[in-house]
Every structure is written in C-alpha cells, then in structure tokens.
Amino acid sequence: MGKAQLGVSTLGRRLSDHQRAVYLEELVALAFDTAQMTVDSIADLMHQATARHSRGELEDALRMYARVLAQDPEHPEALHLTGVVAHQQGRNEEAVALIARAITSRPRAPAYRNNLGMALTALGRTAQAEGAYQEALALVPNFADALLNLGNLRAAQGSFQDAVRLLERAIAADADSPQAHYNLGCARFALDDLRGALGALQKAMVLGADFAEAHYRTGSVHTALGEPEQAIACFHQALAREGDQLGAQHGLLECLDMLPPDVAPPLLEALIAALLRAKAINPRALGHPAARLLERKHGLGGEDVAASSLQALCASLLDDALARLYLRRTVNVSTPMERLLTRCRRRWLADAANSVAMAQSYWDGVAAVAIQCFFNEFVWAVSREEERSIADLEQRIVGACRSVRSPEAARLSDLLVYACYRPLWRIADAAQLRALAVDAWPDALARVLRVSLHEPLWEQDAKAAIDSGVAIRDAVSRAGQMQYEENPYPRWQALTSAGAQSIEQRVQRWNSRYAAPPELTGPLRVLVAGCGTGMDAIDMALHLRDAQVTAIDLSSASLAYAMRKAGEYGLENIHFRQQDILEFDGAGESYHVINCTGVLHHMQDPAVGLQRLVRMLMPDGLIRLALYSRLARGPLLEVREVIRARGFDSTERDIRKFRQQVFDEGAGGAFVELMGSTDFFSLSECRDLLFHVQETQFTVAGIDKLLEAAGLEFLGFELTIDEVGKGFRREHPHAALTDLDAWAAYEQQHPKSFRAMYQFWCRKSVPINHPRQHAQHLVE
Ligand SMILES: C[S@@+](CC[C@H](N)C(=O)[O-])C[C@H]1O[C@@H](n2cnc3c(N)ncnc32)[C@H](O)[C@@H]1O
C-alpha cells in the first residue's frame, strides 16, 4: 500500500533527514528556475497551492497549479504536482503524461520518478512502474518511499522474498513509517514467517495508533499461530477503529471456531453480538460459537432441566439480550437450548389455553422464540395435545378478529404464542392481521409480524408474478420441485460479503495462475442455475461489477424468497425465472459465467444437466459447481439407511419425529455427527440433508470423468477449510492444486475434507476447431 509522494516538505509530511536532503535539492532547483520568472507570484502561488494540496483541497490546488502553468507551461513542479493530483483523483493516464513531462525538464528528481511509478502501478503497467521506481533508486539508493512502493509491487506479484528485502531497506531508511512495517508484516506472513510478521505488525500498531488493518492482520497471525485468545483481542481493537471492518469480521469468525469450548475471553460476548448484527456476515456462521457461549453462560447441559427450575432457567435465558439476538438472527444449533425452549413453549401454550395472561416482560423473549421457530420452519417437537391447543388458539384469534372486526381484539400474547407454532400468514384471517399498522405495536410484536406475516405474504404475491417458462416434464424435476415448493432452501438472513470483486479475482483466489480473457473483464452475463432462495445469485449481482444475472429454479416459492431478498439489497440486475435446467435454452443468450451450486447431484443424470449448462456457456466461459462428496457424506448415508428402515417419510411430521429419535438416541453411532451439523436444526435443511427425493454422491475421480465428458477444464477447488489447503500442500508438495489424482489420494486419507461439498471452478475448453483468441490464459 503506497501513497502519493508530493515531493516538498512544505506539504506537511514529517520527513526523515535523508528525504529532507532529497527534497531540498529539488527545492533549490525550483527556486533557481522560478528566479527567472515573476518570482513573487509563482513562488507564492506554488506555496499556497502545495499548502492546499497537503490539506487535501485538491480542486483548489489544481486551479493554482494551472495558474502557474499558464505563466510557465513547462514549470516542472507544477506539472509534477498536477500529475500527483490526477493520480489521487484516479486519472492515471493523465498523471503519467504530466509527470513524464516534468521529468523531461528535471530528470534527476527522484520523487517525480517515484510518483510516476505509482500512477503506472495504478494502471497495471507494472513493468514500467518497476522501471520508474528503479530509476528513483538509482538516483537515491535509500529513497524510502520508492523502496516501499517497489516492495509492495513485488508483494503484489507474489515475490514475497524480494518484497521483504525491499521493505526492510525502506525501514532502514525511514524507521517511523507504520505503513512500511505493516507491509513487511504482511509479506512475512505470506512467507509463513509468523513470528517475524508479528514483530513487524506490532511495530506498525505502535507507530500508527489508529491503524485498524495492522490490528486485524496481527489478529490473523495469532490465528495462524493457533492463539485464538490473542487474535480475538486484536480483532476487537481493529473493530474499534475505522478501517477494514470486513476483514476484521471475517478474521474474527475464523478464530471463533478455534476457541476451546471452556474458554471465554471477556470480550467474546460483545464481539459475537457485533457479528450477529453485522450486515455483511451470514449469521449462520455464528451458530456454534454463540450456542457454546450461551450454553456455558446459562448452565445448559446434557441433563434435562427439572420441572421446578424450568421457568427460572427459561426466564434467565430469554432475559439475556445476546440469547434473544441469537434466536432472532440465526437458526439455533444447541440441542439443550432446543429442549429447554420446546418445554417452555409448551408451558406458554397451556397458559394461553387456560387464559392465563402472559406478563408483558416476557414478550421480547417469546417474540424471539417465535422468530426462531419461523426460521427453523417449526421443526421442534409438538405433542398431540399441543396440536389440539394450537387449533383452539387459532379459533380464538380468528373469532376475536371477526367478532369485533378488529384484530387488536385478539390478545397480543395469544398471537405471540401462536406464532411460536405456526406462521401467522397461514392463519385464516391473515388479511385482517395484515391491515394492522405494525409500527404502532410494541417492537417485539412488530418484528414477529414482519417475519411471520408480512414477508411471507409478500412472497405469495411475488409467486403470482413469476415469469414461468417451459413446463416441467422430467419426473425427478417434478419431485424436486414439490420438495422445494414446500420447503424453499435455504432460508437465509444476510450474506457474508466478499466485497466488490472481478470474476478473475474470484477464480484467482483458488488458482493464482488464472488470467481472464478480455471477454470476461467487461460486463458479464451470469446464469445461476438452481438458484434456490438466491444467495449466490444475489452475491454475484451485488459484487461482480456490471453483471446481469439470470437466476432460474424449479420452485416458485424459492424464487419468491430470492426476489424478496434481492429487493432488500436494492438489486435491479437480476432476472428470476421458473425453469427446469433440462428445458432451459438460455433464452437466446450464452453466458460468461454459470453458477450451479448443490443442484446437479439432485438430478436424475447430473451429466445430462451439466451438458445442458455447458451448451449455454461461452468458449472460455467459467462455471462454478458444487457437488456432494461420497466420502464426506459416508455417515449421513448410514443415517439415510436408518430413516428408510424405520419407514420415515419426508413429511414435516415424520421429520420432527425422526429428530426426536435422534435426540433420544444421539449419544452414539451415526447420529452424533448429525447433531453437530447446522443443517439438522431447520426443517428445509434437514429435509435436504437426509430426506431428499434424489441424491447422487461423487468422488474426485468421478468429477474428473464428468468434466472431461462435458469439455470442461478443472481450475481449482474453493478450499474454504484452511486446514485442507495446508494439508494438501504438506502431503503433496510437488502436486499442482489442480491435480485431481493427488486430490483423490488426499481425500482418501482425509475423508472429511469436502464436507462442505466439492466446490470448484472450471473453464469451458475451446474446441480444437475454434480459433483461440487469447494465447495464454492459464500460464503453466
Ligand atoms: C439444494 S438447493 C440449492 C439452492 C442454491 N443453489 C444454494 O446453494 O443455495 C437445490 C435447488 O436446485 C433446484 N433444482 C433442482 N433441480 C433443478 C432443475 N432441474 N432445474 C432447475 N432447478 C433445479 C431446486 O429447486 C433447489 O432450489
């Protein structure tokens, strides 16, 4: 990370002795030049202009430099600094031209060459940029800024050894630059020199008190060193400052999973709450850390709570703001908490049935449980007695609404309790409830109404407007459609943002040698096939610059959910269509990028589905696939056998019953793993995981064959589990990350490696008779 070097000490930077000498030389030269002119006006103007420039008043400075240039069109410093402003304003071509002109008059000004290098770097003309930095260093070998910039350039090129050498020299020339220490820390980190990185980053933190990135990187180094407690403290410091919040949030997420279950640093609670609230983090990722913390805090353990302490425990849990936030934001993954709250809910229902009024102080907690139950699609156990009481309660609510023609007549606490068992939008008089002015209600209730009534009713309306295309004829497609109409998957709240990215950057993250052809560097046509509830489609529409996204799925309910979420993100560049991949012809389009996550393995013949998609992909286009791994799913396949043997069907009632059996027997065998999986805790995910109408699992060798038959070139797995990438490199040091034979061997040794599916990128190979326009996309 470099900064524009303005070149005169009057700009307010604190300069080292060495830099001062460099600039003094320039100032003397400048003074000599201007002596020929109307000295007062030019020197005065330059003085004022540079003062404004250093204060960031770029437009004013520009105007003054222009006045100097009007008098002396080749005034080197005015040309140079006009170029610096152009660079600061992102007009780098202009900057290069201006600074190059200044250099013609003053070839021995090192700062000019350094700033020229920066403008060239910004234009991606790295070879020329390097030349400019080298020229600056030839003039002044210890020019700290040029050393820093050249070091950064080397790091960006992946030459970290070189970067470290240059940055160490930059620090020797100017020991007080937090940026240089920070960049040195990052380069050492990249070389796995973790202790060295820590030393440099600690220096950067001392020198730059508000340097959020330095704290966040230090946190990442502690994570890599297996020191989650220290890491958490650093991420906390980073989040308390302005800067890369996203990086700090991601870093924090990663290290939370490393904390031993019995360790709870004092900051943990506040940090988990901040992440649960964060807009750019999917709260599902917080499930286990938050659940562990709450279980510990409230003493929720394996044993069932005695009836006498049930109320007190429930009250203390729901009185806890973190517990309520957790229940409102993410699907609960704590078995003890589910057991406790299922029993409390039963008690609330019995009270409602007996017209025992619920204290208003409980409303917030009960509302959080109602929202939780909506999100987990009412997967918790319900007894026959409860079924009867719910039916009675619904009658009472409907009757109250009808008799006085005012929904307020229904007791608010009845509505809350009912919402813990059923979605409000399905209630007989939902239209009456809908007319309520939510804003006038207590917050807790208004939230429940929004989630359980307004949003789903919006989705019902949206379904009617969905652009339905070709009939769905394939029998497996129809069965899949029915499943996802009943249980759209997955119900999600917020995306974990990767920030704005090009498609090249996305692929490069997993294959550093990938270079996108020119067709893939402009606006992209993207197809998301089997988009479900829209996570990937929305992510791509949000973060891929200028993308136009077409998102198709069999299920109108899933599409409606996706449309609502797209609206929340204010997106207008996604078009949703109800379509079967097997029938879709791309609407006359061919796509630059196709995403098909978790879909092909639910088709009768995944190869046929894939061929259809590849037909719609441009030559050299990219496809991202995600497929089940047979090895990773081994234990789940055993569970599916148990389900079949016990005769459970994929109905909501059977899924609930089966879950209860897992809870009762879960201490051993195949069920243990299931209870650790987040998917077990909501109905649609549990159905998708264990009760799917159609499922194929893959092996790495099978994927190899599948891709070859489809004319796809494998570009690399997304290695979202850090340890998998590291382990592969350790055990197969000479294999490329694209070597599928090596991956097959690795997975045999580590069968859980692809528990989050095989997620990978491919490129459509160009047919032999298709002239390749771009010689080197993947440089081997
Ligand atoms: C497991 S979900 C995955 C959803 C989404 N891709 C994601 O990762 O969140 C599978 C989705 O694929 C859709 N699907 C399955 N077969 C399909 C087909 N032949 N054509 C279009 N969509 C299909 C289903 O309707 C369902 O929404």
Side-chain angles (χ1 to χ4, degrees):
M1 207 183 292
K3 52 190 177 318
Q5 174 55 261
L6 298 180
V8 276
S9 56
T10 48
L11 293 183
R13 287 181 71 253
R14 207 172 51 71
L15 301 176
S16 64
D17 288 346
H18 159 72
Q19 283 172 312
R20 212 168 287 127
V22 171
Y23 298 132
L24 205 56
E25 193 182 307
E26 283 172 33
L27 279 175
V28 170
L30 177 68
F32 179 77
D33 278 4
T34 51
Q36 317 295 320
M37 317 290 302
T38 46
V39 178
D40 281 351
S41 58
I42 292 213
D44 223 38
L45 259 180
M46 282 305 289
H47 185 75
Q48 288 179 39
T50 50
R52 294 196 175 208
H53 194 166
S54 65
R55 289 201 299 268
E57 297 163 11
L58 300 185
E59 291 301 332
D60 286 350
L62 262 188
R63 263 192 299 277
M64 292 179 172
Y65 295 141
R67 282 170 57 196
V68 173
L69 290 171
Q71 290 192 55
D72 176 4
E74 294 307 313
H75 189 285
E77 190 59 359
L79 279 174
H80 166 230
L81 292 178
T82 306
V84 171
V85 175
H87 166 64
Q88 288 173 300
Q89 294 180 328
R91 292 175 286 111
N92 287 298
E93 294 284 4
E94 224 176 292
V96 168
L98 286 160
I99 302 174
R101 258 171 72 195
I103 290 175
T104 316
S105 313
R106 182 152 311 132
R108 298 192 57 76
Y112 292 13
R113 297 194 183 263
N114 178 50
N115 289 339
L116 177 66
M118 293 190 64
L120 287 164
T121 304
L123 288 168
R125 285 153 61 179
T126 47
Q128 288 168 295
E130 176 168 350
Y133 295 136
Q134 295 286 18
E135 283 160 7
L137 290 169
L139 291 166
V140 181
N142 287 334
F143 186 0
D145 286 341
L147 287 165
L148 172 65
N149 288 332
L150 187 56
N152 294 346
L153 191 69
R154 283 276 190 273
Q157 291 166 333
S159 305
F160 295 107
Q161 299 277 15
D162 274 2
V164 165
R165 269 194 296 275
L166 288 158
L167 291 166
E168 283 172 349
R169 277 178 60 198
I171 289 167
D174 177 5
D176 293 342
S177 158
Q179 195 70 50
H181 288 282
Y182 169 79
N183 291 354
L184 176 63
C186 293
R188 285 179 177 163
F189 189 16
L191 289 169
D192 245 359
D193 170 11
L194 301 182
R195 290 288 163 202
L198 213 50
L201 290 167
Q202 275 160 353
K203 203 75 204 246
M205 289 191 293
V206 172
L207 291 167
D210 283 328
F211 200 168
E213 280 84 352
H215 289 273
Y216 137 57
R217 287 285 174 184
T218 311
S220 304
V221 178
H222 280 300
T223 304
L225 283 164
E227 299 167 350
E229 287 178 77
Q230 288 94 323
I232 285 174
C234 293
F235 292 129
H236 175 249
Q237 290 296 327
L239 289 171
R241 290 165 169 79
E242 277 187 22
D244 182 1
Q245 297 281 313
L246 203 57
Q249 288 170 345
H250 283 230
L252 187 54
L253 261 187
E254 194 188 332
C255 82
L256 284 181
D257 274 334
M258 292 171 63
L259 266 186
D262 53 336
V263 173
L267 297 166
L268 189 61
E269 189 166 336
L271 288 173
I272 287 183
L275 287 186
L276 280 170
R277 284 196 200 93
K279 287 200 168 58
I281 295 284
N282 182 344
R284 287 306 298 270
L286 272 309
H288 284 296
R292 275 196 298 270
L293 189 150
L294 289 166
E295 283 175 7
R296 203 171 35 234
K297 186 173 171 191
H298 293 279
L300 308 176
E303 295 297 305
D304 261 347
V305 180
S308 54
S309 17
L310 183 71
Q311 282 294 74
L313 187 53
C314 184
S316 97
L317 179 69
L318 294 179
D319 211 27
D320 180 342
L322 179 70
R324 293 197 304 274
L325 181 65
Y326 165 76
L327 291 169
R328 285 199 305 265
R329 290 287 290 164
T330 184
V331 169
N332 166 52
V333 293
S334 155
T335 307
M337 208 184 306
E338 178 175 331
R339 283 193 158 130
L340 173 74
L341 292 174
T342 306
R343 289 172 68 196
C344 292
R345 185 176 70 161
R346 200 169 297 147
R347 179 76 66 87
W348 299 334
L349 182 63
D351 283 351
N354 295 323
S355 297
V356 177
M358 176 187 284
Q360 206 163 333
S361 56
Y362 270 128
W363 285 12
D364 255 3
V366 180
V369 173
I371 290 174
Q372 169 63 211
C373 292
F374 185 87
F375 288 157
N376 70 34
E377 299 138 280
F378 306 94
V379 79
W380 295 352
V382 182
S383 66
R384 288 209 182 281
E385 195 187 332
E386 281 172 290
E387 297 272 10
R388 281 192 293 276
S389 301
I390 301 161
D392 291 347
L393 189 61
E394 178 166 351
Q395 286 306 316
R396 212 164 73 203
I397 293 170
V398 171
C401 287
R402 284 187 185 149
S403 62
V404 284
R405 299 209 158 275
S406 155
E408 278 96 339
R411 281 205 327 224
L412 298 186
S413 61
D414 281 354
L415 272 179
L416 272 182
V417 174
Y418 182 84
C420 291
Y421 285 94
R422 298 258 198 280
L424 289 176
W425 72 274
R426 283 193 186 276
I427 214 166
D429 269 13
Q432 284 238 33
L433 287 177
R434 192 184 203 181
L436 287 176
V438 168
D439 296 347
W441 287 36
D443 276 358
L445 265 157
R447 257 193 228 120
V448 174
L449 251 67
R450 182 169 50 74
V451 168
S452 185
L453 181 81
H454 289 268
E455 290 179 354
L457 284 179
W458 187 97
E459 288 169 25
Q460 292 305 305
D461 294 343
K463 269 170 78 168
I466 282 172
D467 178 0
S468 180
V470 184
I472 290 158
R473 287 185 286 239
D474 179 80
V476 170
S477 294
R478 276 208 306 275
Q481 178 187 23
M482 201 188 298
Q483 169 171 339
Y484 291 106
E485 289 295 3
E486 288 171 5
N487 298 110
Y489 168 100
R491 291 184 167 275
W492 58 282
Q493 313 306 314
L495 284 175
T496 296
S497 166
Q501 278 184 326
S502 66
I503 196 71
E504 184 177 64
Q505 286 168 323
R506 280 197 180 214
V507 180
Q508 276 177 348
R509 198 168 157 216
W510 314 109
N511 182 335
S512 57
R513 295 173 167 188
Y514 175 74
E519 293 90 329
L520 269 68
T521 54
L524 297 175
R525 283 190 305 278
V526 177
L527 173 68
V528 181
C531 65
T533 48
M535 285 183 87
D536 287 339
I538 290 172
D539 172 46
M540 294 184 118
L542 262 180
H543 297 126
L544 285 179
R545 271 171 250 132
D546 301 325
Q548 283 298 330
V549 177
T550 301
I552 63 167
D553 201 278
L554 295 169
S555 149
S556 63
S558 301
L559 290 165
Y561 191 101
M563 287 161 72
R564 179 171 65 73
K565 296 302 282 182
E568 274 179 23
Y569 282 90
L571 291 172
E572 291 183 355
N573 55 340
I574 307 190
H575 182 49
F576 292 100
R577 304 183 63 164
Q578 187 177 19
Q579 289 274 358
D580 186 344
I581 290 170
L582 294 174
E583 311 271 353
F584 189 54
D585 62 3
E589 299 276 18
S590 66
Y591 295 91
H592 297 102
V593 179
I594 296 181
N595 182 316
C596 186
T597 299
V599 182
L600 292 177
H601 51 222
H602 293 316
M603 296 176 78
Q604 173 77 49
D605 184 347
V608 173
L610 182 59
Q611 272 156 17
R612 273 211 83 92
L613 294 177
V614 173
R615 239 185 281 165
M616 293 184 271
L617 193 60
M618 288 179 37
D620 271 338
L622 295 167
I623 184 163
R624 179 184 182 277
L625 299 173
L627 298 169
Y628 283 146
S629 150
R630 184 175 301 160
L631 279 171
R633 281 177 78 78
L636 292 180
L637 300 182
E638 279 176 47
V639 175
R640 285 176 72 105
E641 271 314 308
V642 173
I643 290 171
R644 223 186 321 271
R646 293 186 189 178
F648 284 117
D649 213 342
S650 62
T651 60
E652 296 191 4
R653 189 183 292 262
D654 270 12
I655 294 175
R656 283 200 203 103
K657 264 206 245 158
F658 167 70
R659 286 184 82 254
Q660 288 320 296
Q661 292 191 1
V662 174
F663 278 168
D664 295 342
E665 303 169 28
F671 291 166
V672 175
E673 178 149 336
L674 200 52
M675 291 167 80
S677 146
T678 48
D679 289 354
F680 182 59
F681 291 85
S682 81
L683 199 103
S684 61
E685 286 168 290
C686 193
R687 186 170 179 183
D688 200 81
L689 186 74
L690 298 170
F691 292 81
H692 207 287
V693 287
Q694 172 74 28
E695 173 176 321
T696 307
Q697 304 94 28
F698 287 81
T699 59
V700 175
I703 287 178
D704 202 2
K705 283 205 193 94
L706 183 78
L707 301 185
E708 194 183 345
L712 290 173
E713 178 186 355
F714 178 74
L715 292 182
F717 287 118
E718 290 190 0
L719 300 172
T720 45
I721 307 169
D722 215 28
E723 187 40 44
V724 175
K726 283 189 187 146
F728 179 82
R729 283 189 203 95
R730 206 170 39 239
E731 292 177 29
H732 298 271
H734 305 298
L737 284 171
T738 47
D739 182 339
L740 287 176
D741 290 339
W743 273 114
Y746 182 80
E747 196 192 12
Q748 280 298 335
Q749 297 304 314
H750 308 277
K752 290 274 158 245
S753 299
F754 294 101
R755 58 181 176 271
M757 297 194 281
Y758 299 114
Q759 304 182 40
F760 55 97
W761 287 90
C762 301
R763 185 176 63 160
K764 182 170 176 172
S765 315
V766 180
I768 306 290
N769 59 0
H770 186 290
R772 186 180 280 279
Q773 291 161 354
H774 321 289
Q776 283 280 322
H777 302 146
L778 246 184
V779 187
E780 285 300 333

